[in-house]
Amino acid sequence: MNTSLEMEKEQKYIMQNYSRFPVVIERGNGSNLYDVDGKEYIDMTGGIGVSSLGYNNEGIKNALHAQIDKLLHTSNIFYNSTTIELAKQVTQLTKMSKVFFANSGAEANECAIKIARKYGFDNYNGKKNKIITLKQSFHGRTITTLAATGQDKYHKYFHPFTEGFKYVEMNNIDEMKEALDDTVCAVMLEAIQGEGGILPMNVDFAKQVEKLCIQTDTILIFDEVQSGIGRTGKFFAYEALGVKPDIVTIAKGLGGGVPIGAVLCNSKMEKVLNKGDHGSTFGGNPMAAAAAIEVLKVISEDVFLKEVEKKGAYITAKLKNMRTDKIKEVRGAGLMIGVELNCEVKEILNLCIQKGVLFLSAGDYVVRMLPPLIITYEEIDIALKTLEETLNSI
Ligand SMILES: *Cc1c(COP(=O)(O)O)cnc(C)c1O
């Protein structure tokens, strides 16, 4: 009842740019969500990879309460200890040199692109200014990050886009070599393409791109907005590829549900941006920083990451053994999993919702799972049983 009333109200007052599932979420606990009519769900979406420690997490709540009692916001014309502490922890943990704080993934990528262009300006009189990204990539919704996104469906309206992006097929090193000329300042990659359909990068391709970047003084950027912060069982998904980027962008899982994004860079990149070159009113907000410190405390534990890897392997094995003729392929790492079907996913997701399990899609044919990293085996079992039954019911 409450659901339909809220949906009507939403239609009246909110711009209709989202196609939402008919669920009005009211509260959450652990890996469970509850709607306004009191129905319980197992959440395999994790707020699209954001709610890394699940819902109603005591540690995050305590950190937020303590920060709220002290200070909600101060501007970046002053210093703040919580922000500085997060900077220390996130750089030390990732062995990067310095950080810039933003509020979202798109903003983090905007900043990475600005650093790359500035480096080309400083060292090559701006001759190096192009950026290579991959086909099927996703880097955000601002005009520039849409331009960086290598998918035509995002390039239909909103012209003119920011110039200077080239798209290369993932795992095609010949195409990369061809594109990487002396006008290119950076290559930006996802170790596992999330929105594109959970498409993992080959180790060999990654290593060859890294080598080419070193040879040509091209900046290697990894967009870890979806795949980072423990999502794949490593702190960053690129660690499994054995490469070392110059710049890494993070966001989604970092705040455990509080909006925050960040750009990490190595010592080569740390002096590119100077006073006044970039900024953000909310970036480094103390409240968001307090939540992120708590998230890092949990996710930096080796045992925690091992458990993410184990749960991911458990889900993947179960999916591969599922008795259904609807699954074409299972892909991903850790708790970033895609199940490609030979039928459309939309109806399946709706049927699963009715049975109390929330899944994501990636495109029209892939069921995507980004559950809270703290999800239990019991919850996984129920979610997968529901998926299997649903696949076999249509
Ligand atoms: C979600 C996502 C973004 C954009 O993040 P926003 O916080 O929505 O701006 C960028 N890159 C990747 C890989 C993402 O998954």
Side-chain angles (χ1 to χ4, degrees):
M1 239 358 6
N2 297 322
T3 296
S4 47
L5 286 175
E6 290 300 322
M7 283 170 64
E8 263 172 51
K9 198 167 154 192
E10 189 268 359
Q11 256 187 20
K12 181 149 187 230
Y13 294 111
I14 298 186
M15 289 188 204
Q16 294 295 298
N17 55 305
Y18 294 112
S19 56
R20 303 181 201 261
F21 289 105
V23 184
V24 185
I25 310 273
E26 187 174 58
R27 62 187 182 89
N29 193 41
S31 297
N32 289 129
L33 287 170
Y34 300 84
D35 72 17
V36 285
D37 291 313
K39 183 171 170 181
E40 181 183 282
Y41 302 87
I42 293 175
D43 178 33
M44 297 297 282
T45 76
I48 317 191
V50 167
S51 307
S52 41
L53 303 188
Y55 305 99
N56 202 22
N57 178 281
E58 284 299 323
I60 293 182
K61 283 199 303 185
N62 290 339
L64 282 173
H65 285 148
Q67 185 60 47
I68 286 168
D69 286 341
K70 273 196 273 188
L71 181 74
L72 284 181
H73 173 80
T74 179
S75 80
N76 281 310
I77 65 169
F78 303 111
Y79 297 84
N80 174 265
S81 306
T82 311
T83 313
I84 296 167
E85 180 57 27
L86 173 62
K88 178 183 170 207
Q89 291 193 18
V90 75
T91 50
Q92 287 187 345
L93 195 61
T94 58
K95 299 184 178 65
M96 297 301 275
S97 183
K98 285 199 166 56
V99 64
F100 170 84
F101 290 119
N103 309 285
S104 66
E107 276 181 62
N109 286 335
E110 284 270 345
C111 174
I113 290 163
K114 282 177 78 174
I115 295 173
R117 290 259 173 99
K118 176 87 188 323
Y119 184 82
F121 180 89
D122 289 345
N123 297 282
Y124 298 92
N125 289 322
K127 188 187 173 205
K128 270 176 175 279
N129 58 48
K130 295 201 169 56
I131 293 164
I132 297 177
T133 62
L134 297 181
K135 290 171 187 165
Q136 288 300 108
S137 59
F138 182 81
H139 297 296
R141 296 285 199 161
T142 63
I143 291 285
T144 295
T145 55
L146 276 179
T149 293
Q151 299 189 55
D152 290 341
K153 70 172 176 184
Y154 292 108
H155 299 160
K156 284 192 290 202
Y157 323 110
F158 317 122
H159 289 272
F161 286 97
T162 308
E163 291 172 34
F165 289 91
K166 298 205 248 188
Y167 316 105
V168 163
E169 197 189 322
M170 181 157 69
N171 298 330
N172 184 336
I173 196 65
D174 293 332
E175 241 187 61
M176 180 62 80
K177 275 182 188 155
E178 172 89 26
L180 216 171
D181 58 27
D182 62 1
T183 67
V184 172
C185 63
V187 175
M188 183 154 79
L189 310 170
E190 290 163 272
I192 300 174
Q193 291 180 334
E195 301 302 311
I198 312 291
L199 302 166
M201 182 174 291
N202 291 344
V203 172
D204 193 48
F205 176 78
K207 286 192 167 154
Q208 292 205 56
V209 172
E210 181 189 44
K211 199 167 138 201
L212 281 174
C213 284
I214 292 168
Q215 283 167 357
T216 56
D217 193 23
T218 303
I219 298 160
L220 182 58
I221 304 169
F222 268 86
D223 175 346
E224 290 268 353
V225 169
Q226 188 160 150
S227 56
I229 325 292
R231 173 56 51 191
T232 65
K234 304 250 184 284
F235 193 89
F236 291 126
Y238 72 70
E239 290 169 42
L241 301 170
V243 295
K244 267 187 95 56
D246 301 294
I247 295 175
V248 189
T249 57
I250 49 179
K252 290 191 167 91
L254 177 61
V258 182
I260 182 168
V263 183
L264 292 154
C265 74
N266 64 11
S267 56
K268 182 178 168 186
M269 294 290 119
E270 72 178 35
K271 295 212 171 72
V272 176
L273 292 182
N274 293 305
K275 311 270 181 218
D277 287 343
H278 193 50
S280 162
T281 299
F282 289 118
N285 171 274
M287 210 175 55
I293 289 171
E294 184 60 28
V295 170
L296 290 183
K297 193 171 100 193
V298 175
I299 285 175
S300 58
E301 296 281 344
D302 259 359
V303 279
F304 186 87
L305 291 179
K306 280 269 161 354
E307 195 53 34
V308 170
E309 204 178 311
K310 253 177 70 185
K311 284 179 209 167
Y314 180 79
I315 294 178
T316 304
K318 276 205 145 194
L319 286 166
K320 285 185 173 163
N321 292 323
M322 220 173 236
R323 264 182 262 179
T324 169
D325 54 7
K326 303 276 186 346
I327 294 180
K328 257 176 78 177
E329 195 182 22
V330 181
R331 299 186 291 259
L335 291 174
M336 180 172 187
I337 296 167
V339 188
E340 187 170 338
L341 305 180
N342 50 26
C343 58
E344 292 203 11
V345 288
K346 187 92 202 266
E347 188 196 346
I348 289 160
L349 298 199
N350 272 310
L351 289 168
C352 287
I353 288 172
Q354 288 171 21
K355 296 176 189 164
V357 183
L358 308 176
F359 289 105
L360 283 167
S361 60
D364 294 334
Y365 296 93
V366 177
V367 179
R368 181 168 41 145
M369 304 180 194
L370 299 167
L373 304 178
I374 49 105
I375 193 164
T376 65
Y377 287 94
E378 289 84 351
E379 286 158 345
I380 289 170
D381 285 344
I382 297 168
L384 294 185
K385 187 157 176 275
T386 303
L387 180 63
E388 182 171 28
E389 281 171 9
T390 307
L391 287 173
N392 288 326
S393 73
I394 53 156

